[in-house]
Amino acid sequence: MSFCWAACQVLIYLPVVVISIIILVTNYAAVTCGSGGLGDLVTIFFCGLLLTSYLKTAFVKAGEVPVSWVDGNTFESYDIEERPLPPFSANKLQCFEKRFNGTQRYCGVCKAYKPDRCHHCDMCGQCVLRMDHHCIFVANCVGHHNYKHFVLFLFYIVVNGGWVVFRNASFLGRTKIRLSEFSCTAAIMLSSIMAACGGFVMFFFLLMHCYLIKTNKTTVDAMSRSPLSWDNSQLRSNIELAMGTDHPFWWFFPVTPTLPPGDTFRVRGQPIGEDPEFTIKIQLEGD
């Protein structure tokens, strides 16, 4: 059993190891064959920010449901057709997302009520606050607590990729391909291809997530058919929910953000906990 568990962990985190090596190799070639000086320091700086953002996305917990939402009962699951859900006493704040029968959303696996925008991830085996998606390339869910690191990972892939291509192009432009320098030239070309491909692909993901941040949505929100709108029409507030309430300077660095609560949200035009009759009852697929 222990061997199987260890083998599964290796397979799960193998993409993290491979991608980390690709990041290091891509930047190592640019630094080794570069002209040195300030340009190499900038390359190392961007590489450090990229790698730190990536590893924090992989190893920072996406966001567990607070203890106040845990019911602690012994049932593995609830059959809403035969057994009513337990009374919602864990948190008095009004939740806007409901099951199709109007009851509070509940996870029988985690034995906890689900706050708004919280979803259970079968891969991680737990409910995740403000869940965006599960990413196999980071072996982790992307949620409330590591979403900033994920966005920075996309941002620095684009920035670092563009910088590496620029540095490598400068090197190739002033270097004649000779047999003695063929290995260095080949490394530079391979580095440029990997940086350009990564930066190009992730640029479109970055644009998508910038839009999601602007409108206060997650990928799950955008893909669902929910009529609820979490956008409070205040750009700064929407950004702070994703990047933290710290000074905007720190939004661009993979430091732990000071985040608003991830278990209570406002529906556009309606304060939290306002008239329960305002609650829109919707069925979320998979919940």
Side-chain angles (χ1 to χ4, degrees):
M1 180 66 70
S2 59
F3 173 78
C4 293
W5 180 87
C8 288
Q9 293 301 304
V10 170
L11 291 176
I12 290 173
Y13 286 101
L14 183 61
V16 177
V17 175
V18 172
I19 293 175
S20 298
I21 292 174
I22 291 175
I23 292 173
L24 291 173
V25 169
T26 300
N27 286 271
Y28 177 77
V31 171
T32 303
C33 299
S35 58
L38 181 61
D40 286 352
L41 292 178
V42 174
T43 304
I44 294 172
F45 177 69
F46 284 148
C47 177
L49 291 174
L50 170 58
L51 192 59
T52 302
S53 300
Y54 177 66
L55 293 178
K56 280 204 166 188
T57 304
F59 294 107
V60 170
K61 291 184 178 180
E64 298 177 347
V65 176
V67 177
S68 60
W69 292 79
V70 178
D71 181 59
N73 65 78
T74 57
F75 292 107
E76 291 296 324
S77 63
Y78 282 90
D79 185 346
I80 58 177
E81 298 295 333
E82 301 179 0
R83 186 188 300 114
L85 291 170
F88 182 40
S89 58
N91 196 309
K92 295 182 180 179
L93 293 176
Q94 178 66 43
C95 287
F96 295 100
E97 291 181 339
K98 298 286 187 179
R99 287 180 178 268
F100 65 90
N101 65 347
T103 59
Q104 176 65 33
R105 296 193 307 142
Y106 186 86
C107 179
V109 178
C110 299
K111 300 178 179 60
Y113 295 96
K114 290 182 179 181
D116 288 336
R117 311 177 77 181
C118 175
H119 303 275
H120 185 85
C121 176
D122 292 330
M123 297 288 290
C124 294
Q126 67 177 22
C127 288
V128 178
L129 293 178
R130 204 168 65 87
M131 179 178 174
D132 189 86
H133 68 286
H134 182 91
C135 182
I136 60 173
F137 298 108
V138 298
N140 196 9
C141 265
V142 176
H144 186 59
H145 289 158
N146 66 346
Y147 184 71
K148 171 190 174 180
H149 304 307
F150 174 73
V151 173
L152 287 180
F153 165 59
L154 299 180
F155 176 73
Y156 282 114
I157 273 191
V158 175
V159 172
N160 181 248
W163 175 255
V164 167
V165 170
F166 171 76
R167 288 278 292 167
N168 291 349
S170 300
F171 170 81
L172 293 175
R174 64 175 181 269
T175 303
K176 294 181 179 180
I177 300 179
R178 294 189 294 268
L179 185 61
S180 59
E181 297 177 348
F182 179 78
S183 60
C184 189
T185 302
I188 284 292
M189 294 181 67
L190 180 60
S191 171
S192 299
I193 292 172
M194 291 191 294
C197 290
F200 178 77
V201 172
M202 293 305 171
F203 174 73
F204 296 100
F205 281 99
L206 178 62
L207 288 181
M208 182 187 76
H209 281 279
C210 286
Y211 168 76
L212 294 179
I213 291 175
K214 176 182 177 295
T215 56
N216 194 2
K217 291 181 180 179
T218 63
T219 301
V220 174
D221 294 335
M223 295 179 64
S224 71
R225 293 173 292 178
S226 168
L228 296 173
S229 174
W230 308 105
D231 183 6
N232 58 20
S233 299
Q234 296 179 357
L235 180 60
R236 176 68 180 261
S237 298
N238 289 345
I239 295 176
E240 287 180 344
L241 184 61
M243 308 302 286
T245 57
D246 313 281
H247 191 279
F249 173 80
W250 297 109
W251 292 347
F252 297 93
F253 294 91
V255 296
T256 302
T258 303
L259 293 168
D263 58 345
T264 52
F265 302 94
R266 297 178 186 273
V267 168
R268 186 170 185 174
Q270 186 74 8
I272 298 175
E274 208 57 24
D275 186 1
E277 294 182 359
F278 178 80
T279 301
I280 301 175
K281 299 175 182 179
I282 57 176
Q283 180 180 7
L284 300 177
E285 295 182 1
D287 286 342

